[in-house]
Amino acid sequence: MASGSYRNGTPKTTKPDRTTSSTYTTPKPTAKSRVAAGGGANVRRSSAVPLIAKDDAGVPGRVRVAVRLRPQNSEELVADADFADCVELQSELKRLKLRKNNWESETYEFDEVLTESASQKRVYEVVAKPVVESVLEGYNGTVMAYGQTGTGKTFTLGKLGEDNIAARGIMVRAMEDILSDTSPSIDSVSVSYFQLYMETIQDLLCPGNDNIAIVEDPKSGDVSIPAATVVEIRDQRSFLELLRIGEAHRFAANTKLNTESSRSHAILMVHVKRSIKGRHDSEEGFPVENGQASSLVKSFRPPIVRKSKLVIVDLAGSERIDKSGSEGHTLEEAKSINLSLTALGKCINALAENSAHVPFRDSKLTRLLRDSFGGTARTSLVVTIGPSPRHRGETSSTIMFGQRAMKVENMVKLKEEFDYKSLCRRLDVELDKLFSENERLQKDFEDEIERVKAEAQNRISEVERKYMISLENERLKYQQDYMDSIKKLEEKWMINQQIGNNERSWVGNHEGFMDGGEAAVPSTSDSMNDDKQLVKTEKLLRQSSEDEVSSLKSQVSQWKRLEAAANAEIVKLNKKLESEAHQKEKLEEEINILKNKLLQLSFEADETRRSLDRGGSGKAFSGFDTFMSQARSSQIRDSANGQKASIAKLFEQVGLQKILSLLESEDADVRIHAVKVVANLAAEEANQEKIVEAGGLSSLLILLRSSEDETIRRVAAGAIANLAMNETNQELVMVQDGISLLSMTAADAEDPQTLRMVAGAIANLCGNDRLQTRLRAEGGIKALLGMVRCGHPDVLAQVARGIANFAKCESRASTQGNNTGRSLLIEDGALPWIVKNANNEASPIRRHIELALCHLAQHEVNAKDMINEGALWELVRISRDCSREDIRMLAHKTLTASPKFQAELRRLRIEC
């Protein structure tokens, strides 16, 4: 097929119910069932993009198929390093490209395409959750995983997630949703768990119960396993315990393709029985009022019992005998597995082609899945594939199986029956409950009224008391002011009255003297003028006293107005103080929320870092420049599975500048949490440019220089290592004296994890051609060699990676004619350590050292030193015994091309 063609029809003419449907929700009940659901269980909706289209009862529903790509494992990372993946996913378009070669590819469409970074939660929401919702509404449902052995079927379905709840599989998550949506008092949930092994059905919950028979209902054709153990589930803990028991009894074997290859088909059957209120409110024989059935009639309607079944099938993986290496009994198991899967494929083909005969009876597996394909169940299939080009044939076969399954149509049906006994019990309980509830509500109502009355009376009394106290204080204040003013006025009036009396007495005496006539002395004009002046003065004093009294009265009035204005201002100030207090409380709450988020994110960062440490040093920092792009995508996948959503949310809410400002906080805990957040942000390539532009690199270098806390130094060095994966950032690190700072940290640190981070940062800088001379001059090579004192494998792996990167850059420079002298590594004394660890037991260390030796040997001027140190013997060993063909061929080519090496080998009579 030419590149860009479609296996599932043309892009423009696909069937509406197959690929154009973007919704995937539970089946829509009929008008009658909707009325019943209004008084019964709530309808649940999926929040993710679903796989099942919304069908009415009785309308065919197509089998929905999702494809999931497994990430590369450690073996594939080594074996397929020089080859491109055979699969390319276009998740937005829901398409998959299968490469035939470097020029041609085939394109397929599925209902959902899940990349290798898709979380278990995402897989459950788009594959299984809509089926679980259909089961809760009374429809049978099936979730099945199909694919080559070792592609992650059991991980997708049956992972328990004991160590990491985010890794829980479909079985555990489905039971969580079922238990959360059912009531133990009126609903029942029971499970049976068995395996199909060598065409015999064996009970996983009771190992002694084997060779169980399949029973078919002659009327309905339903398939059941009545002899299997059925256990009623009340809580999630008991269900997990049952899964552990079942997994312990399931057959598994170690093959070349999978160390724990399932040798049987595991089937988990969940039976759900739910009680739903009666649906027909206006049936004949029932009185209605205004078009609605009376509440009395409704209360006597029998509940409807819906019985549904969820089947989760973990198929054993298809495999080729020559690739799996099966032999003996394992070979017989593989034959049985392939026969049952072949029978299933035949049934799928017959159903897809609308054949008159479907061979369901060719295998017990197809008999058990009769209701799932072409029956009454709503079915969702997830096909799992791997990226390795070595298994392209198996991948193509798995994809074609999924394409054929997408053409299978099922007729979903709802199974209901009336439950009169439950109605009688419910009515008795409801009657007693109503009586007790009515009495309780009456008593609570009366108590509430009394409480509100008492509280209101207390508030009124308190307000009146405060008002009376305030009024009395004001009255006393004004009375005191008034008495003081009156007293002053009386004193002035007494003084004026005394002056007036004295003047009148003098005038009287003077008039008597004038009436005597004989002895009086004639008055003069001066004395008369004095008398007139005194009278005039007395009048003026009286007028002044009256004016002063009026002025005091006006002052009292003005004081009263000022007091009223002051009281109003006090009220405003009190309100302003209350508003500011409220604002302060809100700010304190926001600060607490930010601190909690920072603590939570720090905890998640610690968890992610511990998981990275357990996974090995190769996950934190990648290998050589030629694999740099693969390493970056690996970093993004690892970080996204743990905390990408939390970091992005904090990044949007808080802002990068505020996070960087916390690096200078005086609180040590705040600095630790802040640097962890910055380190996790720096792990994503999209954030690195923003961090550098905001001054994050400078802040990290300052923190590494000034802090004495080992945790801060370790995390800051890791963040710098992530930023140093970009060439532009590498030059900025060198400009800001970063290599000297990293060298001092390497000399002072003793913690292996801190040394691993520092070595990773220097190793990234070693891969830049333009920084070779300056890196060596500032002690970068000696710092790398100094860290070997730790002896920790992860530290040694990073040291070896840095030496390999440096040697590769030197080899490239000598090939281009830019370097004619001895290797700087040899001049700094790295060659003895390289030779000593060339055959190290740890494969990452050994692989880097072997590459470093090959690159050093490509420059003829280094040959003499390498011969003297014994590196020639290691090159000969690598050319013969190295597990990687590319390194083996490089060593052979180097030995052949070097005249000095050939002369030494001839001298010793050794043929390369």
Side-chain angles (χ1 to χ4, degrees):
M1 182 178 294
S3 176
S5 60
Y6 293 86
R7 285 297 187 92
N8 193 22
T10 61
K12 302 294 185 181
T13 59
T14 53
K15 293 184 179 180
D17 65 337
R18 183 168 301 176
T19 58
T20 60
S21 174
S22 61
T23 58
Y24 186 77
T25 55
T26 54
K28 191 174 184 179
T30 61
K32 294 182 179 180
S33 66
R34 285 197 297 270
V35 174
N42 295 327
V43 180
R44 304 169 70 246
R45 292 288 179 263
S46 173
S47 61
V49 178
L51 293 178
I52 296 181
K54 203 171 188 178
D55 300 328
D56 291 333
V59 177
R62 176 173 60 79
V63 173
R64 303 290 161 166
V65 182
V67 61
R68 186 182 192 187
L69 177 64
R70 171 182 58 75
Q72 284 184 315
N73 54 34
S74 58
E75 180 183 354
E76 291 171 347
L77 286 173
V78 176
D80 302 335
D82 296 331
F83 303 95
D85 294 347
C86 68
V87 176
E88 178 184 351
L89 302 184
Q90 298 176 343
S91 57
E92 297 82 4
L93 302 176
K94 299 183 179 179
R95 293 176 183 170
L96 177 148
K97 283 188 177 182
L98 181 64
R99 292 192 179 93
K100 297 174 65 176
N101 49 46
N102 291 335
W103 302 274
E104 294 183 272
S105 63
E106 299 175 345
T107 303
Y108 303 88
E109 291 183 351
F110 288 89
D111 295 296
E112 192 67 33
V113 174
L114 301 167
T115 64
E116 62 270 33
S117 62
S119 64
Q120 290 283 76
K121 180 181 179 181
R122 166 72 177 164
V123 174
Y124 171 73
E125 287 180 345
V126 301
V127 174
K129 189 171 184 177
V131 177
V132 174
E133 291 175 346
S134 298
V135 170
L136 290 170
E137 291 187 349
Y139 299 88
N140 289 343
T142 301
V143 179
M144 187 172 74
Y146 177 91
Q148 182 191 7
T149 182
T151 55
K153 299 182 296 301
T154 303
F155 178 85
T156 300
L157 295 182
K159 185 70 173 178
L160 298 183
E162 296 174 330
D163 299 329
N164 182 10
I165 60 174
R168 293 169 298 167
I170 288 177
M171 291 183 180
V172 178
R173 294 178 184 269
M175 184 56 69
E176 286 180 353
D177 281 356
I178 290 174
L179 292 176
S180 65
D181 201 75
T182 56
S183 173
S185 59
I186 59 174
D187 304 329
S188 68
V189 179
S190 57
V191 301
S192 55
Y193 196 20
F194 50 89
Q195 65 179 349
L196 179 61
Y197 175 71
M198 302 283 287
E199 281 302 300
T200 61
I201 299 177
Q202 301 180 7
D203 196 338
L204 290 174
L205 302 180
C206 182
N209 188 11
D210 56 0
N211 201 13
I212 302 174
I214 300 175
V215 177
E216 294 184 25
D217 190 336
K219 295 182 180 180
S220 63
D222 292 340
V223 177
S224 62
I225 314 294
T229 303
V230 179
V231 180
E232 187 170 359
I233 303 298
R234 291 287 181 178
D235 52 45
Q236 187 72 7
R237 182 181 300 176
S238 61
F239 176 71
L240 291 175
E241 186 61 30
L242 288 179
L243 287 184
R244 292 190 193 96
I245 295 173
E247 289 299 319
H249 295 145
R250 190 176 176 186
F251 288 98
N254 184 3
T255 67
K256 292 182 179 179
L257 297 178
N258 192 356
T259 57
E260 293 183 4
S261 175
S262 301
R263 314 309 291 170
S264 64
H265 308 299
I267 301 174
L268 177 70
M269 198 171 289
V270 183
H271 301 273
V272 181
K273 180 179 178 182
R274 305 194 68 185
S275 297
I276 310 297
K277 182 179 277 191
R279 297 182 299 173
H280 311 294
D281 291 338
S282 302
E283 291 179 349
E284 295 182 1
F286 293 99
V288 296
E289 301 172 1
N290 299 325
Q292 300 290 334
S294 66
S295 60
L296 181 61
V297 172
K298 286 183 180 180
S299 64
F300 284 100
R301 293 199 183 282
I304 294 174
V305 177
R306 289 181 178 175
K307 296 181 179 179
S308 57
K309 177 176 62 177
L310 173 63
V311 180
I312 302 178
V313 185
D314 182 10
L315 294 175
S318 60
E319 60 183 54
R320 292 185 180 180
I321 305 303
D322 56 342
K323 289 187 176 181
S324 64
S326 300
E327 58 184 11
H329 185 67
T330 307
L331 178 61
E332 297 300 321
E333 292 174 340
K335 291 179 180 179
S336 177
I337 292 170
N338 290 338
L339 284 174
S340 61
L341 294 177
T342 301
L344 178 59
K346 290 180 179 179
C347 293
I348 297 295
N349 290 339
L351 290 169
E353 297 170 359
N354 294 323
S355 175
H357 172 67
V358 181
F360 281 114
R361 293 189 173 274
D362 287 358
S363 171
K364 288 186 178 181
L365 176 63
T366 53
R367 290 179 67 190
L368 289 171
L369 299 179
R370 184 170 187 171
D371 190 51
S372 304
F373 294 94
T376 62
R378 187 166 299 284
T379 301
S380 182
L381 171 67
V382 54
V383 294
T384 58
I385 59 176
S388 176
R390 294 177 297 161
H391 305 304
R392 186 189 179 283
E394 290 83 351
T395 301
S396 176
S397 175
T398 301
I399 292 173
M400 295 308 302
F401 179 90
Q403 292 287 293
R404 289 190 290 270
M406 290 175 66
K407 300 178 182 179
V408 177
E409 299 280 348
N410 291 352
M411 182 71 71
V412 295
K413 293 182 180 179
L414 192 66
K415 186 176 181 181
E416 298 179 340
E417 61 186 29
F418 293 107
D419 188 0
Y420 292 101
K421 292 182 180 180
S422 175
L423 172 64
C424 182
R425 293 193 301 270
R426 191 186 65 199
L427 290 177
D428 289 338
V429 173
E430 190 68 24
L431 190 61
D432 294 338
K433 187 188 297 183
L434 288 174
F435 277 120
S436 60
E437 183 68 14
N438 183 52
E439 293 175 356
R440 185 185 64 80
L441 290 176
Q442 185 68 23
K443 185 176 183 303
D444 291 346
F445 180 74
E446 293 174 355
D447 294 340
E448 184 68 15
I449 289 176
E450 292 297 325
R451 186 187 66 78
V452 170
K453 284 182 179 180
E455 184 176 351
Q457 189 64 35
N458 291 336
R459 289 184 178 180
I460 292 172
S461 300
E462 182 67 16
V463 170
E464 289 179 347
R465 185 181 66 80
K466 290 182 178 180
Y467 177 76
M468 292 302 296
I469 292 173
S470 177
L471 187 62
E472 182 64 21
N473 291 337
E474 292 295 324
R475 188 184 66 80
L476 292 175
K477 178 181 177 183
Y478 288 125
Q479 185 177 7
Q480 183 64 35
D481 293 341
Y482 179 76
M483 293 302 294
D484 293 342
S485 300
I486 294 298
K487 186 176 180 181
K488 291 178 180 179
L489 291 174
E490 286 178 349
E491 290 175 356
K492 289 184 178 182
W493 182 81
M494 290 296 294
I495 294 171
N496 293 334
Q497 187 71 22
Q498 186 177 0
I499 294 172
N501 291 335
N502 293 336
E503 291 175 351
R504 284 194 294 271
S505 175
W506 184 86
V507 171
N509 294 333
H510 183 67
E511 290 176 350
F513 176 76
M514 292 297 293
D515 290 339
E518 291 90 4
V521 180
S523 62
T524 65
S525 58
D526 294 335
S527 63
M528 290 299 293
N529 290 332
D530 292 338
D531 292 341
K532 289 179 180 181
Q533 187 66 32
L534 288 173
V535 173
K536 186 177 180 181
T537 302
E538 182 180 0
K539 288 181 179 180
L540 290 174
L541 288 173
R542 287 184 179 181
Q543 184 64 35
S544 176
S545 299
E546 291 175 358
D547 293 341
E548 190 171 355
V549 170
S550 299
S551 176
L552 290 173
K553 288 181 179 180
S554 64
Q555 287 181 10
V556 170
S557 300
Q558 185 178 2
W559 289 342
K560 289 182 178 180
R561 289 193 299 271
L562 291 173
E563 183 181 9
N567 290 335
E569 187 68 23
I570 290 172
V571 171
K572 288 183 180 179
L573 290 175
N574 287 335
K575 290 183 179 179
K576 189 173 181 180
L577 287 174
E578 291 177 358
S579 175
E580 290 181 353
H582 183 64
Q583 291 265 358
K584 183 180 178 181
E585 291 177 358
K586 289 179 66 177
L587 288 174
E588 289 177 350
E589 291 177 359
E590 291 180 1
I591 290 171
N592 290 332
I593 290 172
L594 289 176
K595 284 185 178 179
N596 291 335
K597 287 182 179 179
L598 194 59
L599 289 173
Q600 180 183 1
L601 190 57
S602 174
F603 175 75
E604 293 176 358
D606 289 340
E607 291 295 323
T608 302
R609 196 169 300 282
R610 282 196 289 272
S611 67
L612 288 172
D613 293 341
R614 288 196 298 271
S617 61
K619 294 185 180 178
F621 309 103
S622 60
F624 305 99
D625 291 342
T626 55
F627 305 119
M628 187 66 74
S629 60
Q630 295 181 8
R632 288 174 181 165
S633 61
S634 175
Q635 276 190 331
I636 293 173
R637 288 198 298 271
D638 293 341
S639 62
N641 287 336
Q643 57 188 354
K644 184 176 181 181
S646 300
I647 294 173
K649 187 174 181 181
L650 182 66
F651 189 49
E652 293 175 0
Q653 292 180 349
V654 179
L656 181 59
Q657 287 293 346
K658 188 172 290 185
I659 295 175
L660 293 177
S661 66
L662 294 177
L663 295 176
E664 302 175 2
S665 173
E666 295 181 357
D667 190 340
D669 291 336
V670 174
R671 288 201 306 274
I672 291 174
H673 297 317
V675 73
K676 288 180 179 179
V677 173
V678 174
N680 283 278
L681 286 171
E684 299 185 28
E685 188 174 356
N687 298 330
Q688 291 179 358
E689 183 177 356
K690 298 177 182 178
I691 293 173
V692 174
E693 289 178 354
L697 178 59
S698 301
S699 299
L700 289 171
L701 291 171
I702 292 173
L703 198 62
L704 187 63
R705 178 184 294 110
S706 60
S707 178
E708 297 181 357
D709 187 276
E710 192 67 31
T711 301
I712 294 178
R713 295 172 66 187
R714 179 177 68 251
V715 180
I720 294 170
N722 287 330
L723 294 176
M725 295 177 70
N726 181 283
E727 289 188 4
T728 304
N729 296 341
Q730 290 172 358
E731 295 181 0
L732 289 176
V733 171
M734 297 296 294
V735 168
Q736 298 183 29
D737 203 22
I739 188 62
S740 299
L741 185 57
L742 290 170
S743 300
M744 289 189 294
T745 305
D748 297 339
E750 297 294 337
D751 179 45
Q753 298 305 321
T754 303
L755 291 173
R756 180 171 69 89
M757 297 298 180
V758 174
I762 297 177
N764 288 336
L765 295 174
C766 287
N768 193 320
D769 295 326
R770 295 189 297 271
L771 306 179
Q772 295 282 299
T773 304
R774 185 171 179 182
L775 183 69
R776 187 248 184 159
E778 295 185 10
I781 302 302
K782 291 189 179 296
L784 274 179
L785 295 175
M787 284 185 280
V788 302
R789 70 182 187 279
C790 174
H792 194 280
D794 292 346
V795 179
L796 297 181
Q798 294 303 323
V799 172
R801 182 170 71 88
I803 290 175
N805 285 345
F806 198 95
K808 182 179 180 181
C809 291
E810 285 191 328
S811 174
R812 187 159 49 232
S814 65
T815 302
Q816 296 172 356
N818 298 329
N819 182 16
T820 57
R822 293 171 64 205
S823 169
L824 299 178
L825 290 172
I826 296 177
E827 290 184 359
D828 278 357
L831 187 58
W833 185 84
I834 295 174
V835 174
K836 180 180 179 182
N837 290 271
N839 198 17
N840 196 292
E841 295 179 356
S843 60
I845 301 174
R846 184 175 66 254
R847 184 172 67 254
H848 293 315
I849 294 298
E850 289 172 349
L851 279 171
L853 281 173
C854 292
H855 289 310
L856 287 173
Q858 288 180 346
H859 195 20
E860 187 69 14
V861 74
N862 297 329
K864 182 178 179 180
D865 293 302
M866 297 185 70
I867 293 172
N868 294 335
E869 292 293 339
L872 176 60
W873 302 109
E874 294 298 334
L875 283 172
V876 172
R877 179 190 60 78
I878 294 169
S879 67
R880 294 176 177 177
D881 302 333
C882 182
S883 59
R884 285 188 51 171
E885 184 178 358
D886 56 342
I887 300 177
R888 190 168 63 250
M889 295 301 295
L890 180 61
H892 180 79
K893 179 181 177 181
T894 303
L895 288 172
T896 305
S898 174
K900 291 184 179 180
F901 287 155
Q902 287 296 313
E904 181 68 14
L905 291 174
R906 285 194 298 270
R907 187 178 69 82
L908 299 174
R909 296 180 181 179
I910 296 177
E911 293 184 0
C912 179

